[in-house]
Amino acid sequence: MADNEQAPFRFGVNLLGFTSHEELTAKVREAERLGYDVVCIPDHLGFPAPFPSLVAAARATSRVRLGTFVLNTAFYNPVLLARDVASTDRLVDGRLDLGLGTGYVESEFDRAGIPFPTPGKRIDHLKHTIAELRRAFDELEPAPAQRPTPPLLLGGHGDRMLRLAAREADIVGFTGHSYTPSGLVVANAEEMDERVAFVRKEAGDRADELEFNLLVQRVVVTDDRAAALEKLSREFFDIPADTLGQVPYLLVGTLDEIAEQVRAHRARYGITYFTVLDNAMTDFAAVFDRLR
């Protein structure tokens, strides 16, 4: 979108691999040194718990914002979650970004002994949780440091989730893919156009206030983009390489080519906030000078 072509970028990294305080401290300090704006922690069984990890990350950094990317809301009682969010926001000095999701890994529900609801019921619970959080934040003492609430990120690909994000979130995350009974569905450039248009329509008058985020699934720095896409094709369920080359959440090429892809996504979709996984943290940071 033309009016976003000069909008400033934000860059985030989602930390998946750390097992100790020392390792977490080293990673978040490196992310801040490299120039990332946001350090995020996911919410999956088998990984460190997000809220204590974010508090520890805050002690090791001074500038970056700290986010959940994203909480499995189906695991949480809304009132108790409100207490955790408010306490964490205060302990990180008001640097919390609250990313919420529905939860999607059925095996994690099984391990937790929690029934795995339908997608519709999980979205209903998320909607209820958002309303309860806002109500609770008005009554909590101590309240969150950021008033009325920490910035809210909601993301997805399907209509119901993106409709909720358009109407309730400050940051709309585009995952670019979804899992259906027939397998993985990926969004090419034209489908991403439609998804962005859908969100803007659903957001109505608040559309221009939203920040658009893209979760980048893979960053591949290479002098041979075609060969790299062929290799990715084998990893991504034999999706043709030329199709993968049009998938926005894959950034493949030289540093200059990747920078140009990021600029193109800002111009075409209005996406200004890009989140990568921690195994791509150093490679993606290498394009920052070209983008800023």
Side-chain angles (χ1 to χ4, degrees), residues 17 232 268:
L232 284 173
R268 181 166 183 169

Side-chain angles (χ1 to χ4, degrees), residues 42-176:
D43 185 18
H44 290 291
L45 294 183
F47 290 85
F51 288 128
S53 299
L54 293 175
V55 173
R59 296 187 64 183
T61 58
S62 61
R63 176 187 57 79
V64 293
R65 292 192 63 80
L66 302 155
T68 55
F69 203 95
V70 292
L71 290 184
N72 181 348
T73 309
F75 280 4
Y76 294 87
N77 173 287
V79 175
L80 299 181
L81 178 59
R83 180 188 64 175
D84 287 351
V85 170
S87 297
T88 301
D89 193 38
R90 284 188 167 271
L91 291 171
V92 304
D93 300 320
R95 287 192 272 156
L96 180 65
D97 286 353
L98 181 60
L100 299 180
T102 62
Y104 63 93
V105 182
E106 185 173 1
S107 62
E108 293 186 7
F109 285 78
D110 293 339
R111 287 175 61 191
I114 297 173
F116 186 57
T118 64
K121 288 184 178 179
R122 278 178 277 143
I123 292 173
D124 287 342
H125 178 73
L126 175 57
K127 184 176 180 180
H128 169 71
T129 297
I130 294 167
E132 287 297 297
L133 287 176
R134 288 176 173 155
R135 181 192 60 77
F137 290 153
D138 287 336
E139 301 172 356
L140 272 176
E141 289 296 339
Q146 300 175 93
R147 303 295 291 158
T149 69
L152 176 63
L153 180 149
L154 300 173
H157 186 69
D159 283 1
R160 283 198 65 188
M161 191 65 200
L162 287 180
R163 181 179 294 113
L164 181 63
R167 297 176 180 179
E168 300 289 347
D170 303 293
I171 306 162
V172 177
F174 293 92
T175 61

Side-chain angles (χ1 to χ4, degrees), residues 3-77:
D3 58 342
N4 273 350
E5 287 185 6
Q6 300 303 318
F9 288 114
R10 284 209 304 160
F11 303 115
V13 57
N14 208 20
L15 300 186
L16 302 176
F18 61 92
T19 57
S20 67
H21 178 267
E22 291 76 14
E23 193 175 359
L24 172 62
T25 296
K27 283 202 170 195
V28 297
R29 285 179 175 165
E30 179 67 1
E32 188 168 70
R33 185 192 70 79
L34 288 170
Y36 281 91
D37 302 288
V38 190
V39 171
C40 301
I41 304 292
D43 185 18
H44 290 291
L45 294 183
F47 290 85
F51 288 128
S53 299
L54 293 175
V55 173
R59 296 187 64 183
T61 58
S62 61
R63 176 187 57 79
V64 293
R65 292 192 63 80
L66 302 155
T68 55
F69 203 95
V70 292
L71 290 184
N72 181 348
T73 309
F75 280 4
Y76 294 87
N77 173 287

Side-chain angles (χ1 to χ4, degrees), residues 9 254-264 287 290-291:
F9 288 114
T254 65
L255 294 178
D256 286 334
E257 287 174 329
I258 289 174
E260 192 54 40
Q261 289 165 50
V262 172
R263 291 192 197 97
V287 306
R290 294 163 170 80
L291 294 168

